[in-house]
Amino acid sequence: MTLEFMTYREWDDALWAAIEPLYREAFPHGAKPVNILHAMLDKKIAWLHTGYQNGKIAAMAVTGLSGSSAERILIIDYMAVDTRLRSQGLGRQFLEMIRDWAVQEHHIHAVLIEVEAGNTEEDAARVHFWEHCGFIATSYVHQYIWIPEPYRAMLLPLSQDFVITGDGQALFRHITNFHMKSFRKSGD
């Protein structure tokens, strides 16, 4: 099955109305409020990606950039595939489309995501999915003060020169900076 891939730089209420049910289903806890997502696009620090199948939303993602031009990293803030369409390879296909877009448009050197580091089957399944896509799990477990679940960074290096230093703790600087920009008011 092939997805039609689209990337949006500007907020569109009608588009969000189509995406929001998938977003809410995939992220019932820990999802950013809609006004924050809207502001992220308005501030030009994020993109909204969609994967359409037969004209319907099958996948969605929110991404942003971090790092210098010598170490440009794409952060996947959220990515979800419709639960009815999982286990068909669409998640991997969608991820590859996002990665290819980011390489072509932004010359990225790696893709970074944070995943729950808990002991549930669901957490293990998420880690397995990302590992199956080539991501490397880091050993460092990060505990946010405002979120009860622990998180681990996972990285997909796109060049042999890009290496994970230490236990992955440094990767959380990229993630934390991105989150801080996301929640910062426009005038700050």
Side-chain angles (χ1 to χ4, degrees):
M1 293 188 188
T2 303
L3 290 173
E4 178 188 349
F5 179 72
M6 301 288 295
T7 296
Y8 303 89
R9 182 66 179 196
E10 296 185 10
W11 188 262
D12 180 307
D13 287 328
L15 173 66
W16 183 252
I19 295 170
E20 190 168 18
L22 174 57
Y23 179 69
R24 296 285 172 215
E25 176 189 50
F27 306 105
H29 311 289
K32 285 186 172 101
V34 175
N35 66 323
I36 298 297
L37 295 173
H38 191 303
M40 289 167 63
L41 270 66
D42 289 350
K43 291 187 279 187
K44 307 291 187 212
I45 63 167
W47 293 270
L48 183 60
H49 308 277
T50 55
Y52 294 90
Q53 188 177 60
N54 301 322
K56 295 181 181 174
I57 300 271
M60 64 78 60
V62 176
T63 64
L65 292 176
S66 182
S68 65
S69 59
E71 190 184 76
R72 183 148 330 262
I73 298 172
L74 181 76
I75 295 174
I76 298 178
D77 199 18
Y78 296 98
M79 186 176 120
V81 173
D82 187 316
T83 55
R84 298 166 293 193
L85 302 173
R86 291 184 185 164
S87 301
Q88 299 176 31
L90 293 179
R92 185 179 184 126
Q93 181 184 5
F94 187 53
L95 172 64
E96 290 170 355
M97 292 171 153
I98 293 168
R99 179 205 61 211
D100 292 349
W101 165 84
V103 167
Q104 182 178 7
E105 296 292 321
H106 302 285
H107 311 289
I108 63 163
H109 299 99
V111 181
L112 176 61
I113 188 160
E114 61 181 337
V115 297
E116 291 90 345
N119 295 322
T120 68
E121 284 184 33
E122 189 176 19
D123 293 344
R126 283 191 185 111
V127 169
H128 178 73
F129 167 77
W130 294 108
E131 287 176 335
H132 183 71
C133 293
F135 282 72
I136 301 163
T138 60
S139 60
Y140 171 72
V141 174
H142 188 77
Q143 185 66 60
Y144 290 105
I145 58 172
W146 60 87
I147 299 173
E149 303 86 21
Y151 283 85
R152 171 175 284 118
M154 295 187 75
L155 187 79
L156 175 64
L158 299 178
S159 70
Q160 293 175 330
D161 300 337
F162 198 100
V163 293
I164 300 172
T165 56
D167 59 2
Q169 185 172 0
L171 295 172
F172 269 92
R173 281 195 288 277
H174 293 283
I175 294 167
T176 302
N177 287 338
F178 179 71
H179 289 317
M180 287 172 56
K181 282 191 239 174
S182 299
F183 285 95
R184 188 175 297 137
K185 292 184 176 143
S186 297
D188 294 347

